Coordinates of all heavy atoms in Angstrom, one line a residue:
W1 N 0.8 -1.2 0.0 CA 0.0 0.0 0.0 C 0.9 1.3 0.0 O 2.0 1.2 0.5 CB -0.9 0.0 1.2 CG -1.8 -1.1 1.3 CD1 -3.1 -1.3 0.8 CD2 -1.5 -2.4 1.9 NE1 -3.6 -2.5 1.0 CE2 -2.7 -3.2 1.7 CE3 -0.5 -2.9 2.6 CZ2 -2.7 -4.5 2.1 CZ3 -0.5 -4.2 3.0 CH2 -1.7 -5.0 2.8
R2 N 0.3 2.3 -0.5 CA 0.9 3.6 -0.4 C -0.2 4.7 -0.3 O -1.3 4.4 -0.8 CB 1.8 3.9 -1.7 CG 1.1 4.0 -3.0 CD 2.0 4.2 -4.2 NE 1.2 4.3 -5.4 CZ 1.7 4.2 -6.6 NH1 3.0 3.9 -6.8 NH2 1.0 4.4 -7.7
L3 N 0.2 5.8 0.2 CA -0.7 7.0 0.2 C -0.1 8.0 -0.7 O 1.0 8.4 -0.6 CB -0.8 7.5 1.7 CG -1.4 6.5 2.7 CD1 -1.4 7.1 4.1 CD2 -2.8 6.1 2.3
S4 N -0.9 8.4 -1.7 CA -0.4 9.3 -2.7 C -1.1 10.7 -2.7 O -2.3 10.8 -2.4 CB -0.5 8.7 -4.1 OG -1.8 8.7 -4.6
G5 N -0.3 11.7 -3.0 CA -0.9 13.0 -3.2 C -1.1 13.8 -1.9 O -1.5 15.0 -2.0
G6 N -0.7 13.3 -0.8 CA -0.8 14.0 0.5 C 0.5 14.7 0.8 O 1.4 14.8 0.0
R7 N 0.6 15.3 2.0 CA 1.7 16.1 2.4 C 3.0 15.2 2.6 O 4.1 15.7 2.5 CB 1.4 16.9 3.7 CG 1.1 16.0 4.8 CD 1.1 16.5 6.2 NE 1.1 15.4 7.2 CZ 0.0 15.0 7.8 NH1 -1.1 15.6 7.6 NH2 0.1 14.0 8.6
D8 N 2.8 13.9 2.9 CA 3.9 13.0 3.1 C 3.4 11.6 2.9 O 2.2 11.4 2.5 CB 4.6 13.2 4.5 CG 3.6 13.0 5.6 OD1 2.6 12.4 5.4 OD2 3.9 13.5 6.7
G9 N 4.2 10.6 3.3 CA 3.8 9.2 3.1 C 2.7 8.7 4.1 O 2.3 7.6 4.0
C10 N 2.3 9.6 5.0 CA 1.2 9.2 6.0 C -0.1 9.9 5.7 O -1.0 9.9 6.6 CB 1.7 9.5 7.4 SG 3.0 8.4 8.0
A11 N -0.3 10.4 4.5 CA -1.6 11.1 4.2 C -1.8 11.0 2.6 O -0.8 11.0 1.9 CB -1.6 12.6 4.6
G12 N -3.0 10.9 2.2 CA -3.3 10.9 0.8 C -4.3 9.8 0.4 O -5.0 9.2 1.2
R13 N -4.4 9.6 -0.9 CA -5.3 8.6 -1.4 C -4.7 7.2 -1.3 O -3.5 7.0 -1.5 CB -5.6 8.9 -2.9 CG -6.6 7.9 -3.5 CD -6.9 8.3 -5.0 NE -5.9 7.9 -5.9 CZ -6.0 7.9 -7.2 NH1 -7.2 8.3 -7.8 NH2 -5.1 7.5 -8.0
V14 N -5.5 6.3 -0.8 CA -5.0 4.9 -0.6 C -4.9 4.2 -2.0 O -5.9 4.1 -2.8 CB -6.0 4.1 0.3 CG1 -5.5 2.7 0.5 CG2 -6.2 4.8 1.6
E15 N -3.7 3.6 -2.2 CA -3.5 2.9 -3.4 C -2.9 1.5 -3.0 O -2.0 1.5 -2.1 CB -2.6 3.6 -4.4 CG -3.3 4.9 -4.9 CD -2.4 5.8 -5.8 OE1 -1.3 5.3 -6.1 OE2 -2.9 6.8 -6.2
V16 N -3.3 0.5 -3.7 CA -2.9 -0.9 -3.4 C -2.2 -1.5 -4.6 O -2.8 -1.5 -5.7 CB -4.0 -1.8 -2.8 CG1 -5.2 -1.8 -3.7 CG2 -3.5 -3.2 -2.5
F17 N -1.1 -2.1 -4.5 CA -0.4 -2.9 -5.5 C -0.8 -4.3 -5.4 O -0.6 -4.9 -4.4 CB 1.1 -2.7 -5.4 CG 1.8 -3.4 -6.6 CD1 1.9 -2.8 -7.8 CD2 2.4 -4.7 -6.4 CE1 2.6 -3.5 -8.9 CE2 3.1 -5.3 -7.4 CZ 3.2 -4.7 -8.7
F18 N -1.5 -4.8 -6.4 CA -2.0 -6.2 -6.3 C -2.2 -6.7 -7.8 O -2.6 -6.0 -8.7 CB -3.4 -6.1 -5.6 CG -4.1 -7.4 -5.5 CD1 -3.6 -8.5 -4.8 CD2 -5.3 -7.7 -6.1 CE1 -4.2 -9.7 -4.6 CE2 -6.0 -8.9 -6.0 CZ -5.4 -9.9 -5.3
R19 N -1.7 -8.0 -8.0 CA -1.8 -8.6 -9.3 C -1.1 -7.7 -10.3 O -1.6 -7.6 -11.5 CB -3.2 -9.0 -9.7 CG -3.8 -10.0 -8.7 CD -5.1 -10.6 -9.0 NE -5.5 -11.5 -7.9 CZ -6.8 -11.9 -7.7 NH1 -7.8 -11.5 -8.6 NH2 -7.1 -12.7 -6.7
G20 N 0.0 -7.1 -10.0 CA 0.8 -6.5 -11.0 C 0.4 -5.0 -11.3 O 1.0 -4.4 -12.2
T21 N -0.6 -4.5 -10.6 CA -1.0 -3.1 -11.0 C -1.4 -2.3 -9.7 O -1.8 -2.9 -8.7 CB -2.1 -3.1 -12.0 OG1 -2.4 -1.8 -12.4 CG2 -3.4 -3.8 -11.4
W22 N -1.4 -1.0 -9.8 CA -1.9 -0.2 -8.7 C -3.3 0.1 -8.9 O -3.8 0.4 -10.0 CB -1.1 1.1 -8.6 CG 0.3 1.0 -8.1 CD1 1.4 0.8 -8.8 CD2 0.7 0.9 -6.7 NE1 2.5 0.7 -8.0 CE2 2.1 0.7 -6.7 CE3 0.0 1.0 -5.5 CZ2 2.8 0.6 -5.5 CZ3 0.8 0.9 -4.3 CH2 2.2 0.7 -4.3
S23 N -4.1 0.0 -7.8 CA -5.5 0.2 -7.8 C -5.9 1.1 -6.7 O -5.2 1.3 -5.7 CB -6.3 -1.1 -7.6 OG -6.0 -2.0 -8.7
T24 N -7.1 1.7 -6.8 CA -7.7 2.5 -5.7 C -8.6 1.6 -4.8 O -8.8 0.4 -5.1 CB -8.5 3.7 -6.2 OG1 -9.3 3.2 -7.3 CG2 -7.6 4.8 -6.7
V25 N -9.0 2.1 -3.7 CA -9.8 1.4 -2.7 C -11.2 2.1 -2.6 O -11.2 3.3 -2.5 CB -9.1 1.4 -1.3 CG1 -10.0 0.8 -0.2 CG2 -7.8 0.6 -1.4
C26 N -12.2 1.3 -2.6 CA -13.6 1.9 -2.6 C -13.9 2.3 -1.1 O -13.6 1.6 -0.2 CB -14.6 0.8 -3.0 SG -14.3 0.1 -4.6

């Protein structure tokens, strides 16, 4: 998992790497 677009690595949109690609979380 990573958090993207926030002020640092502890804030932002949740993205998950799974089956070879990055996805968002509902």
Side-chain angles (χ1 to χ4, degrees):
W1 300 271
R2 66 185 181 194
L3 298 176
S4 73
R7 58 164 197 262
D8 60 19
C10 286
R13 184 174 78 167
V14 182
E15 296 177 1
V16 53
F17 183 79
F18 179 64
R19 296 186 185 164
T21 186
W22 287 96
S23 299
T24 43
V25 173
C26 305

